Structures are given as structure tokens and as C-alpha cells.
Amino acid sequence: MIVTFTANPSLDRTVALPGPLERGEVQRAVSVSQESGGKGVNVSRALVASGLDSVAVLPGGDGDPVLAGLRDHAVPFVSLPIAEPLRTNVALTEPGGVTTKINEPGPTLDESQQEALITLLLERSRGARWVVLAGSLPPGFPADFYSTVTQRLRSTEDGAAPLVAVDSSGQPLAAAVSSGAAGMPDLLKPNAEELAELAAAAGFAPATAEQLEADPEAAARAAATVVRSGVGAVLATLGSKGAVLVTADGAWLATHPPVAAVSTVGAGDSALAGYLLAHGRGAAPADCLRQAVAHGAAAASLPGSTVPAVNQTTPDAVTITALRKD
């Protein structure tokens, strides 16, 4: 069982444009679609689509469109009832996959609601193999919320704590890797921009996202800096350049032949789902990375925030290369 936790879920609307976005002009959409979203929700959707057991934990009123969408797609979930509606995010996609996102802040949850969410997660995580803490935090949440949750998960009375994966950005991501051993995730899934920020904070020579995407060896060294700080493993997605996985024992690059990109929304979430899928099957780290990149590439070739099932991915097309990480 893989439990995902999305504190700030959303209804993701994708508007496909016939050409490049023209600021200040009127443009007619080619198509409009919507899915229940948020990083953790997307991971659960992708896992369920591939036949794995997953449950999404999130806030939301019973009649909220986000919860209705999960019911429609038979994605198991448990929710903390709240009065405010969940946010709506809009993605504008151009031909070739260029995507512009406009994300709302989300409803404010007070301290009692935050504690109720943690309690709900702890209850549903008993016996889980992985817990995925993913996405932005709603207004009012402390930046160290994910590290606090990780510590709570690891202090379970029976001692059978799940593995913890974190996929976030900004202050919540930085706090997740600066909280001491008890709050460090077993797996971190940054993109190139997030990796550059984390590595710089850990003492790595400053580098831009573009530099890390162009130089996988540098990306591996940057990720190794984060691993040495106490994180179990770093799965860094590098857009069309593939992804790098770094553990204490090795570093690998995975690349996929170019795909006709339609929308990049949810591609990173799908990559994380692919990694967890392979890990649950006992795959070696390099093969977990292989499935991650296969999932990410498949997601980029699908419209809107559609997530692929494993039978829509092509892991055999992925090339794995061992890298130096020091």
C-alpha cells in the first residue's frame, strides 16, 4: 500500500491553445479538460491506473469537485471535511508541450485542522510501504510541516514506520532536508530548479537549472550533496533530459528517446509513481529510475494532466548510464 498526502489539492483545468500564448490578446482554446489534482493526488491516480493499492489523504468537503473526480476514477481516498472549496489551478498548454500554470493559494486551514489531517494520515498509514508527502502547503501551514509529519510517522508505537517520499518546493522542501535525521525523507523528488536550490544550501557550487539539465554529472554531484546531508535518495527529474537517481551507493542517469510532448502537467508526479511502482516490485535502484523516466515520458505525451498506466510506458526504451557522484 502506498499512501499519498496532499495538503493543498486542486481541480486542475488544462486549456490547450492552438499556438503560442499571446499576452494581452484574445485566443480561442482547442480543448479544455479537468482532473482532480495536486502532486500526491496525481501519484495516487497513476498508481491506481497501474493496478497498485493506493489511498489519497487530503482535505475537502464531500461535494467538492476534486473529491467527485476521485470517485469518478475509482481512486480510493479519505478526506478531512472543510467548509471552504478547494482551489482551482489552470494550465495553458501550447503546441510542443510548453506549459504555463496559474495556481491558486488554496483554503486556509487552522491549527486544529492541520492536526486533524496529521491524525488522519497516521491512521491510514499503518502498514503502508510508502507515504508520499507532496505539493505546496496551504496558507497558514508552517514551513516545516512535512518534517514534522515525517517524525510523527516514524514515532509510531509499533515501530513499523513507512518509507517517506517528499516532493515539494520552496520553503517546505528546504525545511524537509534541514530538520535532522528523524525528519529526513527516504526519497526526495526535486526538479532541476529545486535541486539547484537545495544543493546550493548544502554547500554545492551555485548552478542554474539549465546547467544541471545540460550536465547530468553536475546534477549527480548536486544530488550527492543532498544525500550526504542525510536524505536517503534523490530522484531529480531533468525535463526532456531524463532524470538522475543518487543514493549512498551509486548514481545513474536515465534518458528516454524524444516524445511528442503534449502537456508536461503531472509528468514529475508520474515519474515518482513509476519509481514507487518499480520499488514495490523489488527492482534495483537503476530499474526504479528506468520506470520513473518511462512514466514521466508517457505522461508528457498525454493531454492535460492525464496520468499513464504502466502498460502505456516504454521502460525498454530507456537508457541507463552510471555516473560519478563525487
Side-chain angles (χ1 to χ4, degrees), residues 153-264:
L153 285 165
R154 289 175 177 161
S155 63
T156 55
E157 294 181 4
D158 58 9
L163 297 169
V164 177
V166 172
D167 182 2
S168 189
S169 60
Q171 290 185 340
L173 179 62
V177 298
S178 60
S179 57
M184 289 284 192
D186 298 286
L187 176 67
L188 199 68
K189 209 261 358 125
N191 59 25
E193 181 177 355
E194 294 154 357
L195 176 60
E197 294 175 359
L198 287 174
F204 185 76
T208 66
E210 291 76 14
Q211 289 171 329
L212 295 184
E213 289 179 352
D215 185 353
E217 292 276 3
R221 292 194 298 273
T225 302
V226 179
V227 169
R228 284 194 291 272
S229 72
V231 173
V234 173
L235 169 65
T237 51
L238 307 176
S240 63
K241 303 298 183 180
V244 164
L245 175 67
V246 176
T247 71
D249 299 321
W252 303 267
L253 166 71
T255 57
H256 191 285
V259 299
V262 177
S263 170
T264 59

Side-chain angles (χ1 to χ4, degrees), residues 76-94:
F77 70 89
V78 290
S79 61
L80 176 73
I82 61 173
E84 292 185 71
L86 297 173
R87 61 183 180 151
T88 297
N89 294 339
V90 178
L92 306 176
T93 62
E94 305 171 31

Side-chain angles (χ1 to χ4, degrees), residues 29 56 63 65 91 130 137 140 148 151 221 238-239 268 285 298 323:
W130 281 93
L137 295 175
T148 297
Q151 293 177 55
R221 292 194 298 273
L238 307 176
L323 299 175

Side-chain angles (χ1 to χ4, degrees), residues 2-10 12 36-48 53-59 66 70 75-78 87 89 101 121 130-137 146 165-168 189 266 268-270 272-273 276 307:
I2 297 174
V3 178
T4 67
F5 179 79
T6 309
N8 205 13
S10 60
D12 287 349
S36 300
K39 285 183 173 296
V41 167
N42 290 340
V43 171
S44 277
R45 288 172 50 219
L47 292 171
V48 170
D53 290 334
S54 180
V55 60
V57 178
L58 69 164
V66 174
L70 291 176
V75 176
F77 70 89
V78 290
R87 61 183 180 151
N89 294 339
K101 293 196 69 179
L121 175 64
W130 281 93
V131 170
V132 178
L133 309 176
S136 63
L137 295 175
Y146 285 148
V166 172
D167 182 2
S168 189
K189 209 261 358 125
D269 307 330
S270 292
L272 177 54
L276 297 175
V307 295

